[in-house]
Amino acid sequence: MMRITGKTRIFPIIGSPVSTVFSPPAFNIAFLERGLDIVMVPMEIPAKQVNGFWELLRGSANLIGCSVTYPHKQAAFAAMDACTPRAARLGAVNTVRCENGQLIGDATDGLAMCAAIDLTGTPIKHGVAHVLGAGGGAGIAIVDALCERGISELVLGETDEFRAQSVRDLLAQFWPDVTVSTSSKPSAILINATTLGKSSGDAMPFGAEMIRSAVLVCDAVTRDTPTALCATANAHNKPTVSGDQMGQCQIDVQLEFVTG
């Protein structure tokens, strides 16, 4: 059992709404397993109050940082004293470390997906990936992380033209050697970074033929039961990465950044 004392350090997750986040139980189990006297608690912070939260974070000795979810990732980036090159490229922060009154930020969503892919044994370097929802918050972070890991070719799926242009701009500025395609290729890593699959009546993100020709099928959606995408991929004997598996890897990469 977790025993909270006056010495326990706090690592909150902030957002609005924050009631649906799955992180606190998983993080608190991880803290126990690692013997860390740290607790994660959810904090509902409205957008108009978030600047006050950053001041609290700077001034509290037992707040070691925070995890950041919707809609505060861009506001977090603007509030940082320093951030990783990854977060600077994306203009967003989802993990904050407090360091002598300074706030240091990182963007770990893409790292978490890549770590989950690594666990399947599927190589990223020199590969091809098709990312659906590539311009969204998680999608663009995944695209950037794949490029950082040496992906050769990307197929980008994004229905919002503003977001689509954002991911094209990112690639043109920072990853010009990565080939951008408009149609799916065989032997691709398929990644769903949309919310399709959250509800049982949602359309499938990828068709059956694309799943059959893929080497790996990944879904960033988290839910209690397998999404239709992962279930279909499993039926075709394809390795999968679920949103829950990505979430477990998120714990590792965030804790490494915050606690070392």
Side-chain angles (χ1 to χ4, degrees), residues 2-3 25 57 74 101 122 133 145 176 179 191 193 202 216 237 240 244:
M2 178 169 288
R3 183 170 179 266
L57 198 58
Q74 285 73 35
T122 304
T179 300
I191 302 176
D202 287 346
L216 175 67
N237 296 315
T240 60
D244 288 342

Side-chain angles (χ1 to χ4, degrees), residues 108-161:
T108 64
D109 287 331
L111 294 183
M113 178 59 81
C114 287
I117 291 172
D118 288 342
L119 292 176
T120 72
T122 304
I124 295 173
K125 191 171 184 177
H126 305 313
V128 179
H130 185 157
V131 184
L132 201 63
I140 198 168
I142 290 168
V143 166
D144 182 73
L146 290 170
C147 292
E148 195 172 32
R149 290 287 302 276
I151 200 82
S152 290
E153 188 170 349
L154 286 168
V155 182
L156 305 176
E158 177 55 66
T159 58
D160 184 291
E161 183 50 38

Side-chain angles (χ1 to χ4, degrees):
M1 292 181 61
M2 178 169 288
R3 183 170 179 266
I4 299 175
T5 71
K7 296 180 180 179
T8 300
R9 295 174 295 166
I10 304 170
F11 182 64
I13 179 168
I14 68 164
S16 185
V18 79
S19 59
T20 58
V21 298
F22 73 96
S23 302
F27 268 82
N28 288 327
I29 289 170
F31 293 141
L32 280 173
E33 290 175 345
R34 291 162 171 78
L36 299 172
D37 189 12
I38 304 172
V39 62
M40 172 178 272
V41 295
M43 293 184 68
E44 178 80 20
I45 307 291
K48 63 182 179 181
Q49 303 293 340
V50 73
N51 287 336
F53 173 77
W54 305 129
E55 291 309 306
L56 173 66
L57 198 58
R58 292 177 194 279
S60 176
N62 65 340
L63 281 168
I64 63 170
C66 68
S67 181
V68 183
T69 189
Y70 178 85
H72 299 319
K73 293 183 180 182
Q74 285 73 35
F77 174 74
M80 294 300 101
D81 298 295
C83 62
T84 63
R86 182 181 309 109
R89 290 193 298 267
L90 297 171
V93 159
N94 79 323
T95 310
V96 180
R97 179 177 76 236
C98 296
E99 201 171 274
N100 300 319
Q102 302 288 294
L103 303 183
I104 317 298
D106 197 3
T108 64
D109 287 331
L111 294 183
M113 178 59 81
C114 287
I117 291 172
D118 288 342
L119 292 176
T120 72
T122 304
I124 295 173
K125 191 171 184 177
H126 305 313
V128 179
H130 185 157
V131 184
L132 201 63
I140 198 168
I142 290 168
V143 166
D144 182 73
L146 290 170
C147 292
E148 195 172 32
R149 290 287 302 276
I151 200 82
S152 290
E153 188 170 349
L154 286 168
V155 182
L156 305 176
E158 177 55 66
T159 58
D160 184 291
E161 183 50 38
F162 178 80
R163 290 182 172 187
Q165 188 59 52
S166 294
V167 72
R168 288 194 295 265
D169 290 346
L170 174 84
L171 292 168
Q173 182 176 359
F174 297 106
W175 310 110
D177 294 334
V178 175
T179 300
V180 179
S181 303
T182 56
S183 60
S184 188
K185 302 292 181 71
S187 302
I189 300 170
L190 301 182
I191 302 176
N192 175 37
T194 74
T195 58
L196 287 174
K198 195 76 173 176
S199 300
S200 56
D202 287 346
M204 283 280 287
F206 297 103
E209 184 58 38
M210 295 172 67
I211 293 170
R212 281 193 292 269
S213 66
V215 295
L216 175 67
V217 178
C218 308
D219 201 339
V221 170
T222 57
R223 48 178 289 171
D224 294 335
T225 57
T227 61
L229 177 61
C230 285
T232 302
N234 288 329
H236 286 93
N237 296 315
K238 298 293 181 179
T240 60
V241 167
S242 69
D244 288 342
Q245 289 167 323
M246 177 183 168
Q248 286 298 316
C249 290
Q250 180 81 274
I251 293 172
D252 292 333
V253 295
Q254 285 192 295
L255 289 188
E256 181 179 354
F257 179 73
V258 173
T259 70

